[in-house]
């Protein structure tokens, strides 16, 4: 078998066999196939697309290219959640304790963020001492005893995907539905969960800008999961404005905690209940979504979800006192409002620009080597549809550098469109694929 023939076959519109795809993935991961041939194949796939069978074969080959986490020692059905990412997306911080408090184990592998804010691990490090450097044994024990554990993604988990994504990133071949779906699902399948719930974002702050593309990606990933024998479903949710109100690591942690106390923003609460109900049904704790939503609301109401978060944080070395007293989380030295220059209604928010404001303040990473300031970010006071008067705060900006604050404030104000007419309300949950 020759790589040249595989490239030519796909270039000419042929369907690659499972053996050809595995030959490529094994050879490229081992360094036997050069970057220029891999790049040629990625470009051929970009233009010629992949069939459902090819996409599944690629996903499985990447999932099996390195370590696979064995979760069989964990009691019960293991359910994982994955988000395609967005601005203010702190969902796992509230959702995992809610689901675990209802009796469904949550065993997650997460990464650090590259972009406007940190990833789940960065946000959790807002709790002093928190670590995800767990042994596999500790990880499994924590899930069995507490119901939650989150560990850092190992370098050997789907290494083919990591290598291929780096190549696609510099060869303009990222934006292909099959390649995106196989990249996401290879890591999810290697992480060992029995069931997978996907949160696919759509809008200006999401990777998928249109609802059509978001539904297409969701359908592609659900097919892959089901073909792999995993109970897989997807929720398509809005990202035309930030999720909740907080954007920034410690600020998002504080908002997640407030949500577990029953004081969360409406859109964030709705997302947690929608995703959580899918997780409880998949985990066998509830028979239908309505029953699951009642269970999730109950563990917020009685405080058991908040207590579950505290137990999880403490088990991984963090200062659990901050769960009950958010003043112990990292604090910015400067807090200033960004005020409206006119009266009217917030008609739209350039969501991606709000993310860039957080990055400017120091809340994210421009490169993998960049440091991150856990205390900075923004808390929105006005969202789409809200009425605002001149001089009223649209948000509060949290900073530790006056120059960065000024730059972020200017960009923030340009991200808001305020007009005389109240905009039509659009659904936050765009759809659910069961």
């Amino acid at each position: 078998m020759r790589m040249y023939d595989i490239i030519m076959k796909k270039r000419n519109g042929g369907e690659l066999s499972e053996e050809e795809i595995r030959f490529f993935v094994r050879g490229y991961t081992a360094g036997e196939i050069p970057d220029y041939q891999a790049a040629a194949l990625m470009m051929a796939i970009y233009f010629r697309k992949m069939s459902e069978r090819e996409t599944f074969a690629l996903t499985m080959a990447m999932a099996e290219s390195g370590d696979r986490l064995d979760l069989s020692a964990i009691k019960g059905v293991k359910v994982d959640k994955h988000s395609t990412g967005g601005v203010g997306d702190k969902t796992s911080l509230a959702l995992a304790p809610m689901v675990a408090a209802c009796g469904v184990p949550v065993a997650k592998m997460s990464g650090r963020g590259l972009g406007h804010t940190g990833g789940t691990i960065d946000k959790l490090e807002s709790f002093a001492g928190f670590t995800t450097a767990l042994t596999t044994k500790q990880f499994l024990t924590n899930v069995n005893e507490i119901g939650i554990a989150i560990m850092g993604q190992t370098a050997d988990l789907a290494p083919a995907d990591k290598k291929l994504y780096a190549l696609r990133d510099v060869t303009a071949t990222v934006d292909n539905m099959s390649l995106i779906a196989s990249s996401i699902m290879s890591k999810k399948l290697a992480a060992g969960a029995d069931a997978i719930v996907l949160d696919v974002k759509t809008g200006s702050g999401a990777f998928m800008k249109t609802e059509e593309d978001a539904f297409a990606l969701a359908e592609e990933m659900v097919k892959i999961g089901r073909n792999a024998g995993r109970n897989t479903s997807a929720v398509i949710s809005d990202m035309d404005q930030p999720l909740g109100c907080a954007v920034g690591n410690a600020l998002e942690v504080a908002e997640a905690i407030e949500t577990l106390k029953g004081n969360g923003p409406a859109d964030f609460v709705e997302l947690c209940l929608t995703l959580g109900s899918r997780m409880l049904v998949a985990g066998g704790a509830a028979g239908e979504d309505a029953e699951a939503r009642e269970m999730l609301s109950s563990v917020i109401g009685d405080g058991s979800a908040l207590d579950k978060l505290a137990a999880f944080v403490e088990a991984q070395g963090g200062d659990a006192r901050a769960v009950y007293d958010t003043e112990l989380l990292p604090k910015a030295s400067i807090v200033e409002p960004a005020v409206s220059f006119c009266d009217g209604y917030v008609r739209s928010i350039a969501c991606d620009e709000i993310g860039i404001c957080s990055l400017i303040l120091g809340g994210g990473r421009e490169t993998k080597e960049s440091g991150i300031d856990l205390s900075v970010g923004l808390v929105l006071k006005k969202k789409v549809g809200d009425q605002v008067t001149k001089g009223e705060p649209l948000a509060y900006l949290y900073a530790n550098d006056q120059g960065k604050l000024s730059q972020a404030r200017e960009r923030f104000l340009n991200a808001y469109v305020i007009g005389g007419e109240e905009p039509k309300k659009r659904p936050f949950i765009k759809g659910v694929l069961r």
Side-chain angles (χ1 to χ4, degrees), residues 351-374:
C351 189
D352 51 349
E353 285 294 298
I354 302 301
I356 292 171
C357 289
S358 174
L359 181 63
I360 290 168
L361 291 167
R365 292 185 180 88
E366 301 218 31
T367 69
K368 290 179 181 178
E369 292 73 34
S370 299
I372 193 166
D373 187 340
L374 296 172

Side-chain angles (χ1 to χ4, degrees), residues 308-360:
K308 187 65 71 175
L309 175 63
F312 156 61
V313 169
E314 185 173 17
Q316 295 196 205
D319 184 358
R321 294 177 303 163
V323 172
Y324 303 105
D325 180 6
T326 55
E327 289 299 313
L328 297 173
L329 294 171
K331 296 291 179 187
S333 59
I334 307 168
V335 181
E336 290 190 6
V339 302
S340 175
F341 290 113
C342 61
D343 299 338
Y345 290 91
V346 179
R347 295 192 57 80
S348 67
I349 301 173
C351 189
D352 51 349
E353 285 294 298
I354 302 301
I356 292 171
C357 289
S358 174
L359 181 63
I360 290 168

Side-chain angles (χ1 to χ4, degrees), residues 48 59 80 104 135 189 219 230 276 278 292 307 351 377 391 408 422:
R48 291 295 192 171
T59 305
D80 197 1
V104 173
T135 65
L189 294 173
E219 288 169 3
R230 310 294 173 88
R278 290 281 77 225
D307 292 340
C351 189
E422 184 177 3

Side-chain angles (χ1 to χ4, degrees), residues 62-84:
M62 292 196 297
E64 294 164 5
S65 65
D67 294 341
R68 301 188 74 179
L69 196 59
D70 181 4
L71 302 181
S72 59
I74 298 173
K75 299 183 286 287
V77 178
K78 281 72 70 178
V79 184
D80 197 1
K81 186 274 301 182
H82 175 80
S83 168
T84 57

Side-chain angles (χ1 to χ4, degrees), residues 1 3 12 110 241 255 282 290 307 311 423 426:
M1 196 174 292
M3 190 61 197
N12 293 340
S110 293
Q241 61 178 330
E255 184 164 84
D307 292 340
R426 296 182 298 173

Side-chain angles (χ1 to χ4, degrees), residues 113-186:
L114 183 60
H116 46 79
T117 62
T120 299
I121 288 177
D122 297 297
K123 291 168 188 175
L124 284 167
E125 287 177 352
S126 298
F127 295 105
F130 187 93
T131 180
T132 54
L134 304 177
T135 65
T136 302
K137 183 179 179 181
Q138 285 175 310
F139 178 73
L140 298 175
T141 298
N142 284 7
V143 178
N144 276 327
E145 292 183 354
I146 299 163
I148 316 176
I150 295 180
M151 67 187 295
Q153 186 174 310
T154 69
D156 292 328
L157 190 81
D161 171 64
K162 186 176 181 181
K163 192 171 181 181
L164 265 179
Y165 189 88
L167 181 74
R168 288 165 53 214
D169 196 34
V170 295
T171 56
T173 53
V174 168
D175 192 15
N176 171 277
M177 206 65 72
S178 292
L179 295 177
I180 295 167
S182 60
S183 173
I184 292 170
M185 292 303 291
S186 65

